[in-house]
Amino acid sequence: MALRKKQKTCVETVTEKPDHFDGLPDDLVVFILAKLSASASRPSDFINTIVTCKRLNRLGKHPLVLSKAGSKALGVKANNWSDSAHRFLVRCVVAGNPEACYTLGMIRFYCLQNRASGMSLMAKAAVKSLPSALYSLAVIQFNGSGVAKNQKNLSSGFTLCARAAFLGHVDAIRELGHCLLDGYGVVQDIPKGRQILIEANAREFMLTLSAMMKRQQQPMFHQCDQFGCFNGSASPDCPLLSDFGYNVGGLEVHPVNTFLREWFGSGKGGLAHGLRNCSYFGCGRPETRSHEFRRCSACGLVNYCSRGCQALDWRSKHKMECMPIQRWENQEGGGDVVVEGMAGIEEVEGDHDLAVDVTD
């Protein structure tokens, strides 16, 4: 018999590459996820990461990760609001996240009309010295939101506002300055009020300039020249020193304020008859009772939850739109003389609103 040659078969051994991710300790992965949740620019940045695999999904729910989540990572859109979004915010609250306490507190207080729970959550955030929560509680106290008109607590509002201002909250600093200018909740001190307004606008300008430099990566001189700091021009997109007649670029709106604006703007959360939203686009707060917010005494068409919102909206938009209504123009004696500028807040007797007097 002929010997058959055995054919040599070459067996290829495929060696799998080691998965280094599996070798990372859980503590390190949790630390990385906590950094991601704190720096995420939108919720999807964090969610798309934790749904990648089962391990990331499990570690992404670690209390440390949830406690570090920033306002942008928690910034759910009004159209995407659901029970699962609510549960996620609750888990972050349980983990001790102050931003989650503030965000869920604002949503419950204004959107879901659960006043007690909303106030409690915002108070938890305020106890942890979250400036935005302190300022929102101050606005609630100034307006008497959720309670009767005669239950407003101006002194408590001023105290909360002063604490938020001390922590560097620009809107609170501006509101504090106007309170001192007008003697609203505190003894009137015009020189101190103007000094605080200058500080508010200077802080706002520096924050705006810093944010724009980070986005565009331009030298400081070119950046300033672009926004009219040296050539005397004023760009409509970057108002500077808004309380003193210059243009200052608006700071980034907090995600929960965007949520409120979208919630009521889309009709998802309907307001009762006669209630209105704050006219400043960066606010979104609604009235909780009729005639709660201040009204422009010149045109009577716009409403503001705070003196700070009125100041920002006046310089950024309303100054060009405000037209005095006929009943003010024809009023004899003691009427408001409407000119370009801003002054204090006055309370109109009767069933009228709190009027923002636009006078020099």
Side-chain angles (χ1 to χ4, degrees), residues 136-352:
S136 291
L137 288 174
V139 172
I140 290 173
Q141 294 297 325
F142 280 139
N143 294 323
S145 301
V147 296
K149 182 179 179 180
N150 58 4
Q151 292 181 283
K152 292 190 294 185
N153 194 331
L154 301 185
S155 59
S156 295
F158 180 82
T159 302
L160 289 164
C161 193
R163 176 60 180 167
F166 175 78
L167 295 173
H169 194 275
V170 175
D171 290 339
I173 299 173
R174 176 176 284 107
E175 188 73 21
L176 192 68
H178 284 296
C179 286
L180 288 168
L181 279 176
D182 305 332
Y184 194 70
V186 67
V187 177
Q188 188 177 39
D189 189 341
I190 294 177
K192 184 66 174 178
R194 292 192 64 83
Q195 178 184 349
I196 291 177
L197 284 179
I198 292 174
E199 179 185 349
N201 284 280
R203 282 175 176 264
E204 185 177 34
F205 170 63
M206 293 306 297
L207 290 172
T208 302
L209 185 62
S210 175
M212 291 188 174
M213 288 181 66
K214 287 180 181 179
R215 286 198 298 265
Q216 300 185 9
Q217 297 296 318
Q218 292 184 355
M220 185 173 182
F221 178 83
H222 293 160
Q223 188 76 25
C224 292
D225 184 66
Q226 178 182 353
F227 299 118
C229 300
F230 303 118
N231 58 18
S233 63
S235 168
D237 296 329
C238 183
L240 168 61
L241 298 178
S242 61
D243 289 299
F244 298 95
Y246 299 93
N247 284 332
V248 155
L251 293 175
E252 195 170 5
V253 177
H254 194 285
V256 75
N257 293 104
T258 303
F259 182 95
L260 295 180
R261 189 175 69 245
E262 293 175 350
W263 179 274
F264 294 103
S266 63
K268 192 168 185 177
L271 288 173
H273 178 69
L275 301 185
R276 306 156 299 183
N277 285 95
C278 179
S279 297
Y280 175 51
F281 78 98
C283 179
R285 291 180 178 87
E287 290 182 317
T288 60
R289 67 171 188 279
S290 181
H291 306 303
E292 177 182 333
F293 289 169
R294 298 163 179 84
R295 177 187 62 179
C296 176
S297 63
C299 66
L301 300 177
V302 291
N303 318 280
Y304 303 104
C305 69
S306 65
R307 195 66 165 79
C309 282
Q310 187 267 342
L312 288 170
D313 194 56
W314 171 255
R315 294 300 181 184
S316 64
K317 182 182 67 173
H318 189 56
K319 182 178 180 179
M320 285 71 74
E321 301 174 348
C322 186
M323 295 293 291
I325 52 180
Q326 193 67 25
R327 65 187 179 93
W328 290 115
E329 293 177 345
N330 296 336
Q331 185 176 3
E332 296 182 1
D336 292 324
V337 180
V338 181
V339 294
E340 291 187 355
M342 285 171 39
I345 298 173
E346 61 179 7
E347 187 167 359
V348 182
E349 297 294 335
D351 293 331
H352 295 289

Side-chain angles (χ1 to χ4, degrees), residues 82-142:
S82 60
D83 290 338
S84 59
H86 195 177
R87 286 194 299 270
F88 175 74
L89 286 175
V90 170
R91 294 189 68 163
C92 293
V93 167
V94 173
N97 188 319
E99 279 289 352
C101 292
Y102 172 60
T103 299
L104 186 57
M106 288 282 284
I107 293 173
R108 284 185 176 178
F109 186 88
Y110 287 110
C111 301
L112 306 182
Q113 298 184 14
N114 190 340
R115 313 292 188 199
S117 176
M119 284 281 287
S120 176
L121 287 170
M122 282 188 276
K124 286 182 179 180
V127 167
K128 296 182 179 181
S129 297
L130 186 69
S132 52
L134 287 162
Y135 176 66
S136 291
L137 288 174
V139 172
I140 290 173
Q141 294 297 325
F142 280 139

